[in-house]
């Protein structure tokens, strides 16, 4: 009796398959390992700037705390801050050409894209949401006062702060809108000064009368330059083809400045490293500063949450009479992409896909509004700039009057428009906002440590505001959109970039 039998063909096939799997398992694991390495390498290349900036912040904090034990003199700290001072000077150098070129280019091209009531609705929506975002940020930072501390900061801004009357502050604001000399407006702005004179009244009694007199103060007159650029851009838009050479010049200048900033910005990790280290050395109470930065982060985050989850949905509900949160549910992919990439321009294709495929928005509205919104409207950034400027003023114990707060709100809006598309552009535009009201640029070092996270939150708010704008404008323009749309339908079927 045979105790063993010949293996069947099925057993042989199973054994052969298992052998094959054992043979092929090793190359498969090598391929997966190499694929994992490629993914890590691509992630590092994609996020190199963010990683370098975070490393500079961590190393700068470590160096600052390590050198505090050495009791460095003010002169030594001054020399340590030299690389950081170079970064601040680079940022200042880029502010004027960036704002002038981007504003003139944007305003002069509006006439080509905006048409009829849809353009008017879009402009009204963008202006309203940006104003409400800045207003929300200013109210929160004034009420919460994240920069206030029980002890004064060891760093003094240097410069007297004269108390101005409210009327004179408003009049100075209007005077700055029309500078007599554009070259002088690049480095000086108008400010009312007061002269005390002793006079005799009817009863021959001496009285000190305070008389306002014209004066100037060092600083860029951003408001006057903005008014001129808007007027100049509108004139170029009206001139049509006749103004094409100037339009091309400013468009080329804007692109060149963007490329130049893209080169300079790679130096920022080096400058940030020394700025953070030097700022820690100059502080007396590090715990108070940590509390101030934490409250600042909470203030900005609260403002962005209020604007994103209350203001924008309320505007959409009032205008469109639809559920705004159901609308937001169709934008989850775009919002997560905005948070991950921290760029409205990179998120634009995903936003168009969500609006057109998930929410069934009209392509005539999405292709008209989203490219403009990705460049021209930055609700979250405007809120952030306003909060940051007033926070820095509070840290340095500088009281801003009503006129200066209005200037901060205007320059924050302009900075949000002009700084779009720049990696970590908050540092560049923040220099303009601080210069507009005479705040020290060194205050940027306070907010750098948390800027990388807040940048992602405000980008998400920017994208959400643009998408809500599409829904609002489409509802308000529903009668105009009932006309023929053969051109758009043919174009959509020819391209289909997201199908």
């Amino acid at each position: 009796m045979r105790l063993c039998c010949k293996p069947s063909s099925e057993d042989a096939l199973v054994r052969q398959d298992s052998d094959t799997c054992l043979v092929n398992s090793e190359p498969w694991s090598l391929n997966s390992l190499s694929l994992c390495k490629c993914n890590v390498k691509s992630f590092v290349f994609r996020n190199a700037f963010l990683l370098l900036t975070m490393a500079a912040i961590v190393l700068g904090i470590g160096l600052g705390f390590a050198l505090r034990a050495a009791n460095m003199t003010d002169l030594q700290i001054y020399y340590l801050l030299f690389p950081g001072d170079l970064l601040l000077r680079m940022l200042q150098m880029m502010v004027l050409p960036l704002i002038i070129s981007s504003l003139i280019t944007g305003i002069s091209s509006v006439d080509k894209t905006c048409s009829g009531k849809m353009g008017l609705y879009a402009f009204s929506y963008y202006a309203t949401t940006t104003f409400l975002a800045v207003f929300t940020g200013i109210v929160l930072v004034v009420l919460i006062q994240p920069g206030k501390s029980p002890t004064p900061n060891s760093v003094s801004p240097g410069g007297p702060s004269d108390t101005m009357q409210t009327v004179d502050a408003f009049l100075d604001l209007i005077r700055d809108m029309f500078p007599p000399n554009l070259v002088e407006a690049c480095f000086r702005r108008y400010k009312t000064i007061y002269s005390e004179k002793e006079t005799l009244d009817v009863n021959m009694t001496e009285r000190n009368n305070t008389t306002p007199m014209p004066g100037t103060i060092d600083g860029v007159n951003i408001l006057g330059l903005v008014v001129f650029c808007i007027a100049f851009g509108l004139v170029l838009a009206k001139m049509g083809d006749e103004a094409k050479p100037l339009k091309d010049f400013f468009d080329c200048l804007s692109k060149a400045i963007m490329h130049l900033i893209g080169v300079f910005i790679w130096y920022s990790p080096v400058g940030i490293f020394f700025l953070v280290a030097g700022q820690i050395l100059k502080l007396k109470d590090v715990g108070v500063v940590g509390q101030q930065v934490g409250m600042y982060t909470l203030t900005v985050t609260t403002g962005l949450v209020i604007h994103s989850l209350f203001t924008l949905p309320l505007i959409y509900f009032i205008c469109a009479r639809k559920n705004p949160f159901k609308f937001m549910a169709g934008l989850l992919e775009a919002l997560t992409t905005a948070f991950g990439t921290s760029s409205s321009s990179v998120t634009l294709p995903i936003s168009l896909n969500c609006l057109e495929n998930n929410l069934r928005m009209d392509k005539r509205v999405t292709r008209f509004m989203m490219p403009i919104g990705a460049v021209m409207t930055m609700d979250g950034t405007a809120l952030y700039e306003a909060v940051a400027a007033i926070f820095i003023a509070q840290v340095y114990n500088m009281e801003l009057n009503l006129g200066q707060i209005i200037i901060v709100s205007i320059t924050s809006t302009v900075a949000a428009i002009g700084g779009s598309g720049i990696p970590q552009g908050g540092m560049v535009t923040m220099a303009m906002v601080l210069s507009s009201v005479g705040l020290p640029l060194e205050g940027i070092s306070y907010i750098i440590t948390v800027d990388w996270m807040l940048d992602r939150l405000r980008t998400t708010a920017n994208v959400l505001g643009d998408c809500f704008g599409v829904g609002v404008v489409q509802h308000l323009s529903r009668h105009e959109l009932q006309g023929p749309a053969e051109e758009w339908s043919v174009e959509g079927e020819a391209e289909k970039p997201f199908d």
Side-chain angles (χ1 to χ4, degrees), residues 150-162:
T151 58
N153 196 306
S154 62
V155 183
S156 130
S161 58
D162 299 329

Side-chain angles (χ1 to χ4, degrees), residues 23-92:
V23 173
N24 293 335
S25 62
E26 186 174 355
W28 180 84
S29 62
L30 292 176
N31 290 336
S32 63
L33 182 61
S34 61
L35 182 61
C36 181
K37 289 182 178 179
C38 291
N39 291 336
V40 172
K41 188 181 296 185
S42 63
F43 173 80
V44 171
F45 279 122
R46 283 197 315 268
N47 301 277
F49 182 79
L50 176 62
L51 296 175
L52 288 174
T53 303
M54 295 179 65
I57 293 171
V58 174
L59 293 176
I61 293 174
L63 179 64
F65 281 108
L67 293 179
R68 283 179 70 89
N71 293 324
M72 297 178 64
T73 63
D74 292 340
L75 182 62
Q76 292 172 331
I77 297 175
Y78 173 77
Y79 288 137
L80 180 68
L81 284 169
F82 175 73
D85 184 55
L86 291 182
L87 173 63
L88 297 179
R89 297 175 73 88
M90 289 180 185
L91 298 180
Q92 281 183 298

Side-chain angles (χ1 to χ4, degrees), residues 1-22:
M1 186 176 179
R2 301 181 62 181
L3 299 177
C4 62
C5 62
K6 185 178 179 181
S8 64
S9 59
E10 292 182 0
D11 294 337
L13 288 175
V14 170
R15 187 177 294 111
Q16 183 178 359
D17 290 341
S18 63
D19 294 339
T20 304
C21 291
L22 291 173

Side-chain angles (χ1 to χ4, degrees), residues 182-234:
L182 287 176
V183 177
E184 185 184 21
C186 296
F187 55 87
R188 190 172 295 146
R189 64 181 189 273
Y190 187 93
K191 183 181 181 181
T192 299
I193 59 176
Y194 298 96
S195 174
E196 293 186 357
K197 294 182 180 180
E198 293 184 356
T199 59
L200 298 176
D201 59 7
V202 180
N203 298 325
M204 303 300 292
T205 304
E206 291 187 358
R207 287 188 177 180
N208 291 330
N209 290 334
T210 303
T211 305
M213 298 180 61
T216 57
I217 187 174
D218 292 338
V220 182
N221 183 6
I222 294 291
L223 193 58
L225 295 175
V226 166
V227 171
F228 172 80
C229 291
I230 292 176
F232 193 73
L234 291 174

